[in-house]
Amino acid sequence: MMPQSLTVRIRRPEGRPVRIWVPVLPVVLVFSPVVVLAVLVGAVACLVYHVSVVRALASGWRLVSALPGTRFDLEQGRTAVLVSIR
């Protein structure tokens, strides 16, 4: 299953925290020409390095499918960023 949304929370030293929800599907659709170009470049790289293109695409899809439920935090001083993928 492809991730559906991305939530970014930014805690700043002054002021209120910022929370941003990003729907993944519209972003992927907007950037689809770049995604198609990246897949073509990856397929050519697979052919150059003698890697199975089908296996590489399957591995990439498994990686994207495993993203829902992922969370990571970044902290620098009193500023913190939490990214959650659903």
Side-chain angles (χ1 to χ4, degrees), residues 23-83:
V24 173
L25 186 60
V27 172
V28 170
L29 290 176
V30 168
F31 289 108
S32 62
V34 176
V35 172
V36 170
L37 184 62
V39 168
L40 291 175
V41 168
V44 170
C46 286
L47 293 174
V48 168
Y49 290 105
H50 305 291
V51 175
S52 171
V53 175
V54 174
R55 214 168 197 184
L57 287 173
S59 297
W61 181 251
R62 281 191 214 125
L63 179 69
V64 169
S65 296
L67 285 175
T70 303
R71 289 178 48 147
F72 60 92
D73 300 319
L74 303 170
E75 288 192 39
Q76 176 65 38
R78 293 175 39 197
T79 302
V81 177
L82 166 69
V83 178

